[in-house]
Amino acid sequence: MTEDRRTQRLRRRETHSSRSVPSVVTAVVVLLVLLWLFLETALSVSGAPPLLLSPLTAAQWLADLPRQAPGAVLAVVGLLVALVGLLLLALAILPGNRPRYVVTDERNAIIVDYEVVASAASRVARTAAGVSADQVHSWASRRAIEVQVHPTSGLPVDEDAVRSAVERELASYGLEPVPTVSVAVATRGAVGV
């Protein structure tokens, strides 16, 4: 059964961040600069004094800037402008994934935060390893879940058994995208736990 368009939109909206704030900020800054240039040009043509700087004075200042400013200052300003441009380009191109998984379901759109899945992985790993809650730590990202187990000193932990238990549990959730599971058992055990 295929999901309807409304459910697809809901899943997309909940798993991807909006680009409206950077878009609006960029548009407002560009609009204010263009309005200022238009106003200064209109004042210059009418012969009135400029509000801040006449367009001809600004153009002359920009033309003389490479000869008057130190090279280090120009390099820093150029680097900052390039970084702002790269940031805006990255915001426009990159998908902006939120830290959430989609759980496959025919009738509902179920969205789960990474922390919830990491907590479930820790619970299953703790049970499979036979250790206490503070001996297991998990991190989740879009494509991977990392589980770190600190065994009790003198008691070995079967890394493959922990990994397969976590993989079985995550497979039962039906997560999209399906994360890979990596388990690391610390070489130094916890004492007195």
Side-chain angles (χ1 to χ4, degrees):
M1 178 178 180
T2 61
E3 60 185 358
D4 63 352
R5 291 171 60 151
R6 192 177 83 213
T7 304
Q8 288 175 345
R9 280 195 319 265
L10 177 64
R11 285 183 178 189
R12 171 88 178 149
R13 185 180 70 218
E14 291 300 320
T15 57
H16 292 80
S17 61
S18 172
R19 299 297 195 216
S20 60
V21 172
S23 298
V24 168
V25 168
T26 303
V28 166
V29 168
V30 169
L31 182 65
L32 288 174
V33 168
L34 290 176
L35 285 174
W36 172 74
L37 285 174
F38 175 75
L39 181 62
E40 291 291 3
T41 304
L43 290 174
S44 177
V45 168
S46 69
L51 288 176
L52 298 174
L53 193 62
S54 74
L56 293 175
T57 307
Q60 186 61 44
W61 178 78
L62 282 174
D64 293 339
L65 188 62
R67 287 186 298 258
Q68 295 175 350
V73 172
L74 290 176
V76 169
V77 170
L79 183 63
L80 289 176
V81 169
L83 287 175
V84 168
L86 284 174
L87 174 69
L88 292 175
L89 184 65
L91 285 173
I93 293 174
L94 297 177
N97 295 324
R98 287 183 173 172
R100 297 178 181 159
Y101 290 109
V102 173
V103 176
T104 55
D105 187 71
E106 292 181 1
R107 301 181 316 162
N108 298 312
I110 303 171
I111 311 297
V112 182
D113 285 338
Y114 287 177
E115 292 99 17
V116 174
V117 175
S119 176
S122 288
R123 178 184 47 80
V124 171
R126 178 182 69 233
T127 303
V131 296
S132 66
D134 58 341
Q135 290 176 270
V136 178
H137 303 284
S138 298
W139 299 269
S141 64
R142 181 159 176 79
R143 301 237 179 249
I145 293 180
E146 299 175 22
V147 180
Q148 188 173 27
V149 180
H150 295 280
T152 303
S153 189
L155 298 175
V157 171
D158 185 1
E159 187 175 319
D160 292 330
V162 173
R163 181 181 301 105
S164 63
V166 172
E167 287 173 345
R168 274 194 313 273
E169 182 73 15
L170 295 179
S172 71
Y173 298 160
L175 300 176
E176 288 180 15
V178 178
T180 59
V181 176
S182 64
V183 175
V185 177
T187 56
R188 299 178 71 185
V191 179
V193 180

